[in-house]
Amino acid sequence: MKFQKDTSFFTGRIKSIAFAVKGAFKLITTEHSVMAQFSIAILMTIAGFYFGISKTEWLFQIFSIGLVLSIEGLNTAVEKIADFIHPDYHEKIGFIKDIAAGAVFFAALTAILIGALIYVPILFFN
């Protein structure tokens, strides 16, 4: 069966959204690193409601959560493609995967710093 591209603007966007939701669901339900990050995101969201953080703090927290989950998803995609192309260990594939993991590290470090800026004053100075 040949894949038929949807050229209609509206139905094409609906299909794109459906694929994106399907991909997000696959990430959350199959990838352990994303499960862990998603669990932390839920805990931080609960903490935000519990401590009544400001709108600006919500903005930074939501941005941080989105950043980490997005980069984690891209890292997973890079790893899956690399493993598909070269299933056995290869030094260059390992280098590529390390770089993708490094991007997750930077996003996670940013989120940790933002979380600390929001919650350390609430927990220790109020």
Side-chain angles (χ1 to χ4, degrees):
M1 182 169 106
K2 186 177 178 184
F3 178 72
Q4 197 85 6
K5 183 174 181 172
D6 190 341
T7 57
S8 167
F9 179 79
F10 183 73
T11 57
R13 299 301 63 84
I14 296 297
K15 286 180 181 177
S16 293
I17 292 169
F19 289 134
V21 169
K22 181 179 175 183
F25 184 77
K26 283 182 180 180
L27 271 171
I28 292 169
T29 58
T30 63
E31 297 301 317
H32 292 287
S33 58
V34 178
M35 288 178 200
Q37 299 291 358
F38 190 71
S39 298
I40 292 168
I42 290 169
L43 291 173
M44 297 311 295
T45 301
I46 291 168
F49 284 115
Y50 180 79
F51 291 112
I53 63 176
S54 71
K55 286 183 182 180
T56 303
E57 291 167 332
W58 272 115
L59 176 74
F60 283 103
Q61 180 166 300
I62 291 167
F63 178 78
S64 298
I65 291 168
L67 177 70
V68 170
L69 290 174
S70 297
I71 300 298
E72 191 73 68
L74 291 173
N75 177 54
T76 299
V78 167
E79 288 181 355
K80 299 290 184 192
I81 290 169
D83 290 344
F84 178 76
I85 291 171
H86 204 292
D88 298 326
Y89 176 79
H90 190 280
E91 187 175 328
K92 288 183 180 181
I93 294 292
F95 182 79
I96 292 165
K97 290 168 83 172
D98 288 346
I99 290 172
V104 175
F105 172 77
F106 285 130
L109 184 61
T110 300
I112 289 167
L113 292 173
I114 289 171
L117 287 170
I118 293 170
Y119 292 103
V120 166
I122 291 170
L123 293 170
F124 297 108
F125 300 111
N126 276 345

